[in-house]
Amino acid sequence: MAALLAGGALAQYPDKPIRLVVPQAPGSATDTVARLLAAEMPKSLGVQVIVDNRPGGALTIGIDMVAKAPPDGYTIGMGPVGAMAITRHMVAKLPYDIERDLQPVALVTRGHLLLAVSPSLPVSTVQELVAYAKRNPGKLLNASSSNGSPGHVGGELFKTMTATEIVHVPYKGGAMAINDLIAGHVQVIWESLNSIATQARSGKVKALAVSGARRSPAFPDLPTIAEAGVPGYEAGTWTGVIAPAGLPQAVLDRLNASVNAAIRSPPFVQRFASIGDEPAGGTPEDFADLIRRDSAKWADVVRRSGAKID
């Protein structure tokens, strides 16, 4: 009887709204992706998807809420690279174990960081930036949206690979960091294209290169950092959907299919074509493999940089 009841419940899934937890504030790059998913997933699921922003704790508050939710498919979350592969190596004690307590559902987007400088800085290429930093050790300020953000560790990787001294300045959000870059209070930034594309196109910041393995379709004239003089450099961004571990296979399959359908929809594709991020998709296993690979990479960068979050 219990098995029959459980099977019936799964057959009806979902029959009520689904909560999509975002471990960052409204307006963030991850929040933008989540709101597009929340608009598109109901078309295949038949129920409302409600975005629930839970920022704070170096992304741990929102991720912990997902990890500790019942594994019934009614609480899922956004798992950005920062939470899944970076800050886990910077926080002394996480309240969850990513491999044990979380189930990857699907990768949603892949993207780039944009390496940009203040318009007042007298450099126009990556090689000129490296030369300037070497002539002025410790004098350049590198803004990021927060400690443990992709922009933070992307900058740390650059400094290690170029043997330069650039001072990291964390902000409480990308918008504040970008505004201070425009004003010249800081000189360098690695920031998600999702957040800084508008300022780069308008010339309010000076775009030098993108961080991924290949050029961005939205900025085809910008080289990658590797092309521009730092061979082997790669710091791509991504975000995906996660759920509590123990999710029934039928529910996982339904959510994975819904995410893959959502990111193929015209509104999703058109929105990301304009900023350079690319819809991804794939299986839960694909996403789990990516998390493992990038976690190992950023663990090494964090260890060498000595970066920590109290």
Side-chain angles (χ1 to χ4, degrees):
M1 179 64 71
L4 286 171
L5 289 173
L10 289 179
Q12 295 168 15
Y13 174 83
D15 62 0
K16 62 182 180 180
I18 296 170
R19 176 170 59 169
L20 177 58
V21 177
V22 179
Q24 290 170 288
S28 64
T30 304
D31 178 72
T32 299
V33 176
R35 291 181 187 279
L36 283 167
L37 284 176
E40 294 299 320
M41 288 178 69
K43 295 175 183 177
S44 60
L45 292 174
V47 298
Q48 188 177 11
V49 176
I50 301 169
V51 173
D52 185 359
N53 293 91
R54 298 296 177 118
L59 308 179
T60 62
I61 292 174
I63 302 296
D64 190 45
M65 179 175 289
V66 177
K68 291 181 169 56
D72 56 10
Y74 290 103
T75 296
I76 57 177
M78 298 302 298
V81 59
M84 305 302 287
I86 299 172
T87 56
R88 63 188 293 178
H89 306 297
M90 302 175 71
V91 176
K93 189 172 182 181
L94 288 175
Y96 48 82
D97 180 283
I98 287 177
E99 277 71 34
R100 183 193 66 211
D101 299 330
L102 293 167
Q103 168 63 61
V105 174
L107 183 65
V108 178
T109 64
R110 291 180 180 272
H112 294 267
L113 299 168
L114 179 72
L115 168 54
V117 296
S118 171
S120 61
L121 192 70
V123 305
S124 298
T125 68
V126 171
Q127 289 182 330
E128 288 177 2
L129 175 63
V130 172
Y132 187 95
K134 288 186 173 180
R135 290 195 307 269
N136 299 275
K139 293 186 178 178
L140 288 177
L141 301 181
N142 158 214
S144 79
S145 60
S146 67
N147 268 322
S149 65
H152 175 193
V153 296
E156 296 299 330
L157 179 61
F158 183 88
K159 287 184 273 184
T160 297
M161 294 182 71
T162 57
T164 52
E165 293 179 36
I166 303 173
V167 179
H168 175 236
V169 181
Y171 282 72
K172 292 183 178 178
M176 294 172 62
I178 293 167
N179 286 340
D180 269 10
L181 184 75
I182 293 169
H185 302 313
V186 293
Q187 294 78 42
V188 189
I189 199 169
W190 282 259
E191 180 58 51
S192 167
L193 269 180
N194 196 333
S195 301
I196 202 171
T198 300
Q199 292 86 349
R201 285 201 176 92
S202 68
K204 290 182 178 178
V205 301
K206 205 186 300 184
L208 302 187
V210 294
S211 69
R214 61 182 186 273
R215 296 190 181 200
S216 164
F219 289 84
D221 294 333
L222 274 185
T224 66
I225 293 174
E227 286 178 309
V230 190
Y233 183 95
E234 183 180 346
T237 63
W238 47 259
T239 193
V241 172
I242 57 174
L247 207 63
Q249 187 65 45
V251 173
L252 177 59
D253 291 345
R254 186 84 193 273
L255 287 170
N256 175 266
S258 179
V259 172
N260 276 284
I263 64 180
R264 290 192 299 267
S265 67
F268 204 101
V269 172
Q270 289 164 13
R271 172 69 176 89
F272 281 87
S274 68
I275 59 173
D277 284 0
E278 300 172 46
T283 67
E285 292 76 20
D286 294 335
F287 188 21
D289 287 344
L290 176 63
I291 292 168
R292 280 191 290 271
R293 290 196 307 271
D294 271 17
S295 179
K297 170 183 177 171
W298 292 120
D300 183 57
V301 174
V302 169
R303 177 185 57 77
R304 283 186 282 139
S305 73
K308 288 187 171 114
I309 298 175
D310 297 326

